[in-house]
């Protein structure tokens, strides 16, 4: 039964972490964005995020955050959530599921521990700002 389920490969959809100024915190903070760099409308988008890893020899993990978006147009972005400084030392995982037409796409995007930092940035397509991309 499971072998009969075909989940196509995710292409041109990825997660990026971008640093932006926050008036609430009076400093730059990281935000996660879902980037749809494809020519297709993606619908019924579900993003589940969590952070996990080891700090000072102790296993840590955050609670799950769930985000749902009705649709994300072609060649556009959707802000997912703020990534707190306290979880940058952990692996940050974003599980993304969506439909293009009647086909379900699903992929986990993981920012490795300490990979979200100002020294590792590159230009994020569509946003045209510096950020960290996980494909």
């Amino acid at each position: 039964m499971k072998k009969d389920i075909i989940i196509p490969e995710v292409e041109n959809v990825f997660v990026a972490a971008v640093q932006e100024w926050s008036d609430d915190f009076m400093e730059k903070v990281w935000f996660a964005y879902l980037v749809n760099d494809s020519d297709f409308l993606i619908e019924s988008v579900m993003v589940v995020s969590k952070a996990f890893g080891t700090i000072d020899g102790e296993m840590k993990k955050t609670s799950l955050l769930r985000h749902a978006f009705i649709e994300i147009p072609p060649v556009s972005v959707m802000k997912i959530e703020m990534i707190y400084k306290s979880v940058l030392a952990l692996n940050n995982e974003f599980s993304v599921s969506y439909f293009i037409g009647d086909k379900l796409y699903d992929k986990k995007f993981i920012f490795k521990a300490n990979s979200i930092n100002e020294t590792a940035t590159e230009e994020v397509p569509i946003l045209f700002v510096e950020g960290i991309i996980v494909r």
Side-chain angles (χ1 to χ4, degrees):
M1 317 288 167
K2 273 188 169 180
K3 65 179 176 27
D4 297 328
I5 299 172
I6 299 169
I7 299 178
E9 186 177 333
V10 171
E11 294 178 355
N12 299 319
V13 174
F14 54 91
V15 176
V18 175
Q19 211 173 25
E20 298 175 359
W21 179 259
S22 169
D23 288 334
D24 294 335
F25 295 98
M26 296 304 291
E27 65 180 349
K28 284 186 169 183
V29 294
W30 290 95
F31 285 94
Y33 282 87
L34 182 60
V35 181
N36 179 7
D37 197 16
S38 74
D39 296 331
F40 303 101
L41 171 73
I42 61 176
E43 300 176 287
S44 302
V45 181
M46 177 66 75
V47 180
V48 179
S49 65
K50 66 179 179 179
F52 60 92
T54 306
I55 297 177
D56 297 330
E58 187 177 338
M59 186 63 179
K60 303 277 186 180
K61 66 179 182 175
T62 65
S63 56
L64 295 176
L65 296 178
R66 293 173 181 86
H67 308 276
F69 308 105
I70 295 171
E71 60 184 31
I72 301 175
V75 191
S76 65
V77 298
M78 182 67 67
K79 187 181 279 190
I80 303 171
E81 67 186 37
M82 185 176 100
I83 304 172
Y84 289 92
K85 266 198 272 190
S86 59
V87 299
L88 294 178
L90 301 171
N91 297 307
N92 286 270
E93 178 181 288
F94 294 83
S95 296
V96 179
S97 301
Y98 59 89
F99 284 91
I100 296 178
D102 62 350
K103 289 189 179 171
L104 173 67
Y105 292 76
D106 183 66
K107 185 169 182 177
K108 287 184 181 174
F109 299 92
I110 300 176
F111 293 97
K112 297 291 183 192
N114 298 309
S115 67
I116 301 175
N117 62 66
E118 291 182 38
T119 61
T121 60
E122 61 182 290
E123 187 174 307
V124 178
I126 303 171
L127 282 173
F128 302 110
V129 295
E130 294 295 307
I132 311 296
I133 299 172
V134 175
R135 295 183 191 269

